[in-house]
Amino acid sequence: MSGEILLRAEGVGKRFGGFVALNGIDLEVRAGERLGLIGPNGSGKSTFVNCLGGSFPAHEGRFIFDGKPMAGLAPHRRGHLGLARTFQLPRPFNSLSVLENVTVPLLFGPARETSPAEARARAMACLEQVELAGRAAQHPRELTQVDLRRLEIARAIALRPRLLVADEAMAGLSHTEVAQMLELLFRLNAAGTTIIMIEHVMRAVREFSQRLVVFVAGNKIADGDPNEVLAMQDVEEAYLGR
Ligand code: ADP
Ligand code: MG
């Protein structure tokens, strides 16, 4: 049961030099939705998230999030508007503790009226959600791969986003760890967070996605019911290499 359009990408294009990484992507995401985004390596998935998150500007088109055009807004401003993303390669602040990593986004920007004590309490609650509370005092370099991915999610949800984009949050995780990560994303979604899951772990994508979008070479080639999309011959050829 999805609500209003929360995110709309209109003709988003991105070039790196002469290389077209994204070619006029149109995409709508409804509030409360669980959307899967798949595609071969290099098909533009992370580039799409980077443009959406404000890491770099799109060359053409625009994103409307929660009714507001995102153009020109810095990443932290988008974060405070309810847009969160994780990075494919976790990027913690290595000199800070696990708890401090989650507290930082709460102490800057519009949320800085929050007192340090409140920020710590909220950060701790996020760590509890991702089952990382027991490692609050440790440093990122002491964490396992799965715990680094959990920390990445905890940092992303600290500002209570309306939309969370998880960019390959399951890469390198074991079967059990994938199941745990999946459960966490389901829980966040049940609590009202709209989620875009970018993933190569097809078992997880199938189980999670209510709708599936496929990128190939910077183009959106499919968008619809996951079973129907996965049954399309060109998806098999492009994505599964058959
Ligand atoms: P995906 O996430 O689908 O694997 P990416 O969005 O990371 O793909 O990359 C799409 C294409 O854009 C790739 O060919 C990649 O090499 C290129 N690309 C991505 N980011 C940059 C960048 N910052 N500079 C130059 N080329 C880039
Ligand atoms: Mg990527």
Side-chain angles (χ1 to χ4, degrees), residues 42-193:
S43 57
K45 306 180 299 297
S46 293
T47 299
F48 184 77
V49 182
N50 288 332
C51 292
L52 171 62
S55 300
F56 44 61
H59 280 119
E60 50 187 30
R62 60 178 192 160
F63 291 99
I64 313 282
F65 175 71
D66 203 11
K68 301 173 203 69
M70 292 290 105
L73 293 182
H76 73 278
R77 296 280 308 279
R78 299 182 199 213
H80 286 283
L81 289 172
L83 184 59
R85 54 84 55 94
T86 68
F87 286 87
Q88 194 171 334
L89 299 173
R91 318 172 147 191
F93 300 112
N94 284 311
S95 57
L96 302 182
S97 72
V98 165
L99 180 62
E100 287 163 346
N101 262 276
V102 187
T103 312
V104 162
L106 294 169
L107 291 174
F108 299 95
R112 70 174 170 269
E113 307 99 65
T114 321
S115 72
E118 279 169 336
R120 282 173 69 89
R122 218 212 271 185
M124 202 61 197
C126 292
L127 288 178
E128 272 156 23
Q129 277 198 69
V130 302
E131 294 169 56
L132 209 53
R135 306 202 178 277
Q138 293 186 324
H139 277 70
R141 76 183 91 85
E142 301 172 84
L143 298 186
T144 61
Q145 178 81 355
V146 65
D147 283 345
L148 277 173
R149 297 215 175 265
R150 288 195 174 111
L151 174 58
E152 190 68 17
I153 304 256
R155 292 174 68 203
I157 63 175
L159 288 168
R160 301 193 179 115
R162 295 198 67 199
L163 174 65
L164 171 65
V165 187
D167 194 356
E168 299 205 26
M170 316 223 179
L173 303 192
S174 73
H175 201 82
T176 312
E177 291 164 347
V178 165
Q180 289 170 345
M181 182 64 77
L182 202 50
E183 196 201 309
L184 168 61
L185 294 177
F186 267 114
R187 235 187 301 133
L188 291 170
N189 177 251
T193 312

